[in-house]
Amino acid sequence: FDRLELGHPTAYIGKEYHNDYSDGWVEVNCVINVPESEKPQYIRRIKELIGDDAINTPDEWARYELSEYDSVFSIIERLITVTVLFVFVLITMLYVDLFTSEDKQSVGLMRSIGISRGTVRIWQMSKIAILLIISITAAAVAASSIISYLVSQLFRMLTMTGFSFIIDPVDTYIIIPAVAFVTVMLTAWLRVRKNDDICVWDILDE
């Protein structure tokens, strides 16, 4: 039997069915009126009595409902990640070129008095690192306050009062800043290498 040709055939075997069948489910929502700390043990007890498949917590039910969209969300997440990293690289190249043009005389003077190329690179990279740390800190603060407020206001405008913006601390404060820092610093390091050709003659030419 394939109900409405949904691709989920169901076979019923046994004399107790008397050539009839029953197929379907009913969703029932309830609140366990106990302290929050005691809810897990009550939920485990209810699952033991009724069955694990029949009882879901709100998080489990949401995960089940959204599971069919996991692949779509995964593709979107990868596309956004690649796009953001590409923009990081382009912006980093632009700003490093600006810093290079501004520091050209300083770099030429440093090279003329015998300062090594590696020291000059470290000096330039330290400035970029300081700006990057300030930017990442500001972004983390904005994510935990301003963005959270704006998203909550958006949910309220859409009358979705039961939703809230939840920040994943591992992603927000560790993984994303680390990936951004490594991407920007690596791009900047490769870009400042062209300063190795700057010498005192560049100062005289300008």
Side-chain angles (χ1 to χ4, degrees), residues 4-200:
L4 297 179
E5 298 184 356
L6 293 178
H8 304 288
T10 305
Y12 296 93
I13 302 175
K15 295 180 180 180
E16 61 273 16
Y17 285 99
H18 302 292
N19 297 323
D20 294 326
Y21 75 92
S22 177
D23 187 20
W25 52 271
V26 177
E27 179 183 350
V28 179
N29 297 320
C30 64
V31 177
I32 303 176
N33 191 19
V34 296
E36 196 69 29
S37 59
E38 299 180 10
K39 285 185 178 181
Q41 61 182 2
Y42 276 88
I43 293 175
R44 285 196 298 270
R45 180 57 179 161
I46 294 173
K47 287 185 176 183
E48 291 175 358
L49 294 174
I50 301 178
D52 186 72
D53 295 336
I55 303 298
N56 294 108
T57 64
D59 290 341
E60 291 172 343
W61 181 251
R63 193 177 300 111
Y64 169 76
E65 287 292 320
L66 296 174
S67 60
E68 59 182 302
Y69 302 104
D70 284 347
S71 59
V72 177
F73 290 153
S74 179
I75 293 173
I76 294 174
E77 183 179 12
R78 290 191 180 96
L79 288 175
I80 293 176
T81 301
V82 172
T83 303
V84 170
L85 291 179
F86 181 70
V87 172
F88 276 177
V89 171
L90 292 180
I91 293 177
T92 302
M93 293 173 63
L94 174 63
Y95 274 93
V96 170
D97 289 343
L98 290 176
F99 290 153
T100 300
S101 62
E102 293 176 357
D103 296 339
K104 192 172 184 179
Q105 293 184 355
S106 299
V107 172
L109 181 61
M110 294 171 67
R111 294 289 295 126
S112 67
I113 61 177
I115 297 178
S116 65
R117 295 174 179 175
T119 303
V120 173
R121 287 186 192 176
I122 293 174
W123 170 67
Q124 291 183 305
M125 293 296 296
S126 62
K127 296 194 302 181
I128 296 173
I130 292 172
L131 291 175
L132 182 58
I133 292 173
I134 294 174
S135 301
I136 290 175
T137 304
V141 172
S144 60
S145 56
I146 300 175
I147 297 178
S148 179
Y149 172 77
L150 293 177
V151 173
S152 64
Q153 292 301 312
L154 175 62
F155 285 151
R156 182 174 300 177
M157 291 172 55
L158 298 174
T159 65
M160 301 170 62
T161 56
F163 291 84
S164 60
F165 184 70
I166 300 177
I167 295 176
D168 187 344
V170 176
D171 288 341
T172 304
Y173 303 119
I174 298 177
I175 296 178
I176 295 177
V179 171
F181 187 85
V182 171
T183 302
V184 172
M185 294 301 290
L186 180 60
T187 303
W189 177 261
L190 296 175
R191 199 67 176 174
V192 298
R193 294 180 62 183
K194 68 178 184 178
N195 292 342
D196 294 345
D197 299 329
I198 297 177
C199 61
V200 67

